[in-house]
Amino acid sequence: MFKTSRNSIFKQLRSVHTLPRLANHETWSSQGIPGLLSPQGYSTAWTNYQTYLLTNLTLLTNGTANETKKPFEILLNTAKQTTQQHTFHYAAMSHMNHFFFEQLTDKSTSSSSKPSRFLMEKLIHQDILDIDALRTKMLTMAENAYGQGWIYLVEDKTKNLQFLQCNNDGVPYYFGKRQQLDLNGGIDELSFNSLANLQKRAAAASGVAGQEKSGVVVADEDEQYLPILAINYWDYMYVEDYGVTGKNEYLSNLWDHLNWDVINKRLFQV
């Protein structure tokens, strides 16, 4: 969210990004999310951290073409600009943190919701036969990940579902900003394939540039990823309540607080 204030001298509008209002914000601010986050843990992970991200985004975009745009628009506008990496970081993190918190709910509401039949039918193509298999797949990816980042269930341009790990502020919208590779350890098959794909892109870059100059629009074959579900394993989410070694306990509790009614609506349906 953002609001504008009028400068009485120059009569200019200035945009200020403000904290989006979550449906349960008042309750969670005083009571936390029982079974997941304490009031202080919620304040750290949402109220304080989101405000920090949006404040920095405001400072970096005031007086620019991105000043009146929402974080999602800003991250798309800056994703390919190497001189706008700080702006991209705050836009991407504020957008994804909001996306993540929108899918959270209390445990009782979570238990009464479930993945839609349409969603589960699509997951069969990923050898996911039930919700327990989906839980194991996504939480294992998050538990085995080093550092900080996200595990996404994404929908590609063919409307098929895939699993995607993005390190740090990686987002699924643009391949150049997914940050899929973690070079702190060995290279697994997924990482190797990602490197091979980047090598092909680099080799074809001159040809693509030529086609673009001639007026032919060349679309990247795998850019069209949209997130359906996000698992956030950044340490700001759990260190307040679970300590520095509490990542796995936090992830286990997190799964019991997903609102599938929200997640189901993110999936494309005819």
Side-chain angles (χ1 to χ4, degrees):
M1 295 178 62
F2 64 87
K3 61 183 180 181
T4 57
S5 58
R6 183 170 293 279
N7 184 306
S8 59
I9 298 177
F10 298 102
K11 304 297 184 182
Q12 294 178 335
L13 292 177
R14 287 294 184 186
S15 297
V16 178
H17 292 275
T18 59
L19 189 70
R21 181 63 62 178
L22 298 176
N24 298 313
H25 178 69
E26 298 301 329
T27 301
W28 289 351
S29 292
S30 60
Q31 302 177 15
I33 307 178
L36 179 62
L37 297 174
S38 68
Q40 184 56 46
Y42 172 76
S43 178
T44 297
W46 173 249
T47 309
N48 294 341
Y49 189 61
Q50 189 74 4
T51 299
Y52 162 78
L53 294 170
L54 293 172
T55 298
N56 281 280
L57 186 60
T58 296
L59 293 173
L60 287 168
T61 56
N62 270 346
T64 73
N66 287 316
E67 182 176 10
T68 60
K69 301 186 185 306
K70 296 180 179 179
F72 177 66
E73 298 173 286
I74 297 172
L75 77 86
L76 294 179
N77 286 346
T78 58
K80 298 181 181 180
Q81 299 180 30
T82 57
T83 60
Q84 296 291 318
Q85 296 313 297
H86 286 87
T87 304
F88 170 83
H89 170 77
Y90 291 112
M93 287 300 295
S94 59
H95 169 72
M96 290 315 312
N97 200 42
H98 187 198
F99 181 94
F100 171 76
F101 268 92
E102 282 187 316
Q103 68 191 16
L104 298 185
T105 188
D106 59 86
K107 195 169 185 177
S108 61
T109 301
S110 176
S111 63
S112 64
S113 66
K114 61 181 180 180
S116 67
R117 177 180 176 182
F118 187 62
L119 175 61
M120 295 308 301
E121 286 176 348
K122 284 181 170 288
L123 284 170
I124 290 176
H125 301 290
Q126 293 289 336
D127 295 325
I128 303 297
L129 303 182
D130 54 38
I131 191 171
D132 289 332
L134 177 60
R135 179 186 189 279
T136 298
K137 174 69 175 182
M138 297 197 73
L139 295 193
T140 299
M141 289 179 68
E143 290 167 0
N144 292 339
Y146 294 101
Q148 307 179 98
W150 308 82
I151 302 298
Y152 296 111
L153 176 64
V154 300
E155 185 176 58
D156 64 25
K157 66 179 182 180
T158 66
K159 308 308 176 187
N160 290 320
L161 299 181
Q162 299 185 39
F163 296 99
L164 187 68
Q165 177 183 338
C166 294
N167 297 292
N168 303 314
D169 56 6
V171 294
Y173 304 109
Y174 170 57
F175 81 93
K177 289 298 186 183
R178 289 182 192 151
Q179 298 201 40
Q180 291 177 254
L181 303 179
D182 181 2
L183 301 181
N184 292 314
I187 301 297
D188 57 19
E189 183 179 1
L190 179 62
S191 298
F192 178 83
N193 290 337
S194 296
L195 283 171
N197 186 41
L198 287 175
Q199 184 179 32
K200 291 179 181 179
R201 288 174 181 273
S206 58
V208 169
Q211 290 176 314
E212 289 176 341
K213 289 179 180 179
S214 65
V216 178
V217 177
V218 180
D220 289 297
E221 60 184 2
D222 64 346
E223 277 197 42
Q224 310 301 317
Y225 283 0
L226 294 176
I228 304 301
L229 167 61
I231 299 297
N232 183 348
Y233 62 88
W234 272 74
D235 56 9
Y236 71 81
M237 280 303 308
Y238 60 84
V239 70
E240 187 76 45
D241 292 326
Y242 300 88
V244 295
T245 61
K247 174 182 170 182
N248 290 0
E249 182 183 0
Y250 150 73
L251 290 171
S252 180
N253 291 339
L254 169 62
W255 193 263
D256 296 329
H257 291 80
L258 296 178
N259 189 339
W260 290 101
D261 291 336
V262 171
I263 298 166
N264 291 334
K265 291 177 182 178
R266 292 170 173 169
L267 191 66
F268 174 82
Q269 299 186 52
V270 178

